[in-house]
Amino acid sequence: MNTTDPQHAELKKDLDATVRARRELGDDYDSALVDSFLEKVEQRIDDAVDRRVRRHLAEQRVTTARGVRAPNAADTWFERHGFALVSLIVAIPLSAIGGAFGGMSGVLAAWIGVVGVNVAQTARVNPEIFAGRRERGQERERRTDAAGR
């Protein structure tokens, strides 16, 4: 907690008031004073947690509205990048076979296949990547049609 924070200063005042009240009232009221102070602290903690949860939910809504897919917490590095890694490993012998039988055009065909498979995998896993481009293109077409009329 920041010492320049107004809530911190207010909490410190509450603690000082509780200590002064304890001195004035004596040991008989210890439990009630401590409970009262802890209720105030608990309320402040609840308020801070509520603010953080609301902020987090708002960020999630904005992310969802923008169509950005955040990686799943359960996704491992290999689950996110493994397909591309395996396809690059497979591309080495494919390039050799393509080069042996078709020369440079065989190598080019092998790499076009590798890139095509990776693009298809990306579209399957992250459909919003290409959906955004489609939507922008449709928006451009609508503006062009509206301007032409």
Side-chain angles (χ1 to χ4, degrees), residues 16-83:
D16 290 341
T18 301
V19 170
R20 278 193 310 271
R22 187 211 174 268
R23 285 183 193 141
E24 291 174 12
L25 297 174
D27 294 339
D28 296 340
Y29 293 95
D30 274 355
S31 178
L33 291 171
V34 169
D35 288 344
S36 172
F37 179 74
L38 289 178
E39 283 178 21
K40 291 176 185 177
V41 171
E42 184 179 337
Q43 184 60 46
R44 286 207 171 87
I45 291 171
D46 287 345
D47 292 344
V49 169
D50 286 344
R51 277 194 308 276
R52 287 180 183 164
V53 167
R54 282 193 301 272
R55 185 180 323 129
H56 182 71
L57 289 173
E59 289 171 358
Q60 281 183 334
R61 281 188 223 118
V62 167
T63 300
T64 302
R66 289 182 181 162
V68 177
R69 178 189 174 266
N72 231 342
D75 288 352
T76 63
W77 183 89
F78 190 78
E79 287 171 331
R80 285 183 271 154
H81 306 289
F83 189 85

Side-chain angles (χ1 to χ4, degrees), residues 94-142:
L94 284 177
S95 297
I97 293 168
F101 289 107
M104 189 55 147
S105 60
V107 172
L108 186 63
W111 277 97
I112 288 173
V114 169
V115 169
V117 166
N118 278 285
V119 168
Q121 174 69 5
T122 301
R124 186 185 72 77
V125 173
N126 301 313
E128 68 274 357
I129 289 176
F130 298 108
R133 290 184 178 157
R134 229 178 283 125
E135 291 168 3
R136 285 192 298 268
Q138 291 170 351
E139 179 63 30
R140 257 188 248 114
E141 288 175 12
R142 279 190 291 252

